[in-house]
Amino acid sequence: MKAWAVVEAGKPLEPIDLPTPEPMGTEVLLEVTHCGVCHSDLHFWHGYYDLGGGNKLKLSDRGVTLPRAPGHEIVGRVVRLGPYATGVSVGDLRVVYPWIGCGKCQRCRDGEDNMCTEQQTLGVIRHGGFGSHVVAPHPRYLVDPGTVDPAVAATYACSGITVYGAVRKVMPLAPDDPVVLIGAGGLGLSAIAMLKALGHRAIVSVDIGADKRQAALDSGATAVVDGKADNVTQAIGAAAGGQVKAVIDFVNNDATARAGFDALAKGGKFVAVGIGGGMITLSLSGMVFRGLSVAGSLTGSPQDLREVMALAESGRLAPLPVTRVPKDEANAALARLEDGTVTGRLVLVG
């Protein structure tokens, strides 16, 4: 097994050789064919997550040991089965659900692995898709991509279920009630496609990049806002025709969160998705008097992945733009993502 791995936090990924895992019990060994490059991989690469206010969550705080191959948006081909693995066959192509739970707690028994407190996430605790092989603990974590382009299908394991979960948190809304999406990167464009797939018609996208705003319009946003405007909250109101019932922030720095929260109408919902290290001060009494809600949205469940794949297979969920990059250019891919020069999603192949 070969892998591009974080050997030292903040340093370039290095190619390493590892023993190819032997699947045991219900485990399934897959050879990775496609792996999306996500902003979470950037944070992992740097060795910490910015919690805001000068606080950081280090890799070691999450139980991570190095070297570790990142990557959690994975499609792979089954190459070997543990003796008790059923429901898949050698040669099958599958999307791999990466947010593996302990399998024992109530959340896992309820199918909510993403809410497990003892996660064994691929690309974080376990080697991920920047390696040549990954191990799924059980076939229930594998979803058939059907006729969907596997490069696009890989992104549904994170960006797809993440936006699906976030969008569901602001529903129900009338199709013409504006939903504001802050950030028009991979997640923001995925959210536009998801809202359209679910029948929503009024979508306002906010981004600081003119090219990203144009990409949002091309993807179906009904209005865009320059995130560098003098008063972004006011600009959101102008684009949306007033205060809004729903804001989803895929950036979540101080400025974006403040602008988005302040744009809410009475009874509005603000959903935090990005991990940009932002912090804002809220009046709790003000939230009571205006009936406001603030919620974090943490990826999605295995069932969410199955539902997103079904939407994609039906043709209702439009594919986001993907750029295929050879896996040995993983460092360059991360650098491009950090520079903000990526439209849509980068996917490692080969």
Side-chain angles (χ1 to χ4, degrees):
M1 170 177 166
K2 298 184 179 298
W4 284 89
V6 177
V7 175
E8 183 180 350
K11 302 294 184 181
L13 304 182
E14 295 183 20
I16 62 173
D17 291 314
L18 298 163
T20 302
E22 183 66 36
M24 309 292 288
T26 61
E27 292 179 338
V28 180
L29 178 69
L30 302 99
E31 185 175 16
V32 177
T33 61
H34 301 78
C35 183
V37 183
C38 178
H39 268 93
S40 296
D41 296 319
L42 278 180
H43 300 295
F44 185 88
W45 182 32
H46 291 312
Y48 66 91
Y49 304 85
D50 188 345
L51 300 181
N55 298 310
K56 295 180 179 180
L57 175 65
K58 297 181 179 179
L59 293 184
S60 56
D61 297 331
R62 294 192 66 185
V64 175
T65 57
L66 300 178
R68 178 74 67 233
H72 51 269
E73 294 186 340
I74 304 165
V75 166
R77 194 170 299 281
V78 176
V79 294
R80 203 172 304 158
L81 303 173
Y84 302 113
T86 60
V88 293
S89 302
V90 171
D92 287 347
L93 193 69
R94 292 291 184 267
V95 185
V96 185
Y97 178 82
W99 317 103
I100 309 297
C102 69
K104 301 174 184 177
C105 69
Q106 188 61 51
R107 281 297 180 78
C108 286
R109 291 198 298 271
D110 290 342
E112 297 179 316
D113 289 69
N114 56 312
M115 294 298 178
C116 177
T117 59
E118 301 293 334
Q119 280 186 320
Q120 297 291 310
T121 304
L122 298 179
V124 180
I125 305 301
R126 300 175 180 227
H127 289 296
F130 283 37
S132 60
H133 295 76
V134 295
V135 174
H138 193 281
R140 69 172 175 269
Y141 296 116
L142 305 178
V143 180
D144 188 349
T147 59
V148 178
D149 178 349
V152 175
T155 69
Y156 294 146
C158 179
S159 67
I161 61 175
T162 295
V163 301
Y164 186 61
V167 166
R168 289 198 304 175
K169 281 182 170 60
V170 302
M171 295 299 172
L173 285 175
D176 293 311
D177 278 338
V179 175
V180 175
L181 308 175
I182 301 181
L187 284 176
L189 297 184
S190 294
I192 294 170
M194 188 64 68
L195 283 163
K196 289 172 64 66
L198 297 175
H200 207 77
R201 294 191 289 263
I203 305 167
V204 178
S205 177
V206 182
D207 202 283
I208 62 174
D211 57 334
K212 301 290 182 64
R213 296 195 297 274
Q214 185 59 53
L217 289 171
D218 294 342
S219 297
T222 49
V224 293
V225 171
D226 185 352
K228 294 185 291 186
D230 290 339
N231 189 323
V232 178
T233 298
Q234 188 176 71
I236 290 172
Q243 291 183 312
V244 298
K245 295 180 181 178
V247 175
I248 305 175
D249 191 347
F250 296 110
V251 180
N252 273 323
N253 60 34
D254 294 359
T256 61
R258 183 79 267 167
F261 182 82
D262 288 348
L264 291 177
K266 194 171 184 178
K269 301 174 183 177
F270 177 90
V271 177
V273 178
I275 47 178
M279 293 186 73
I280 57 173
T281 300
L282 302 177
S283 165
L284 299 181
S285 296
M287 291 183 66
V288 171
F289 291 138
R290 298 184 61 212
L292 302 177
S293 301
V294 175
S297 192
L298 181 61
T299 65
S301 68
Q303 179 59 26
D304 289 337
L305 179 56
R306 291 187 282 270
E307 292 177 10
V308 169
M309 286 306 310
L311 275 174
E313 181 77 6
S314 73
R316 292 166 58 192
L317 180 59
L320 78 166
V322 298
T323 302
R324 293 163 175 80
V325 179
K327 189 170 286 186
D328 60 7
E329 296 179 16
N331 278 306
L334 287 171
R336 286 176 60 188
L337 191 61
E338 187 165 46
D339 289 343
T341 59
V342 177
T343 297
R345 213 70 168 176
L346 298 181
V347 177
L348 301 180
V349 297

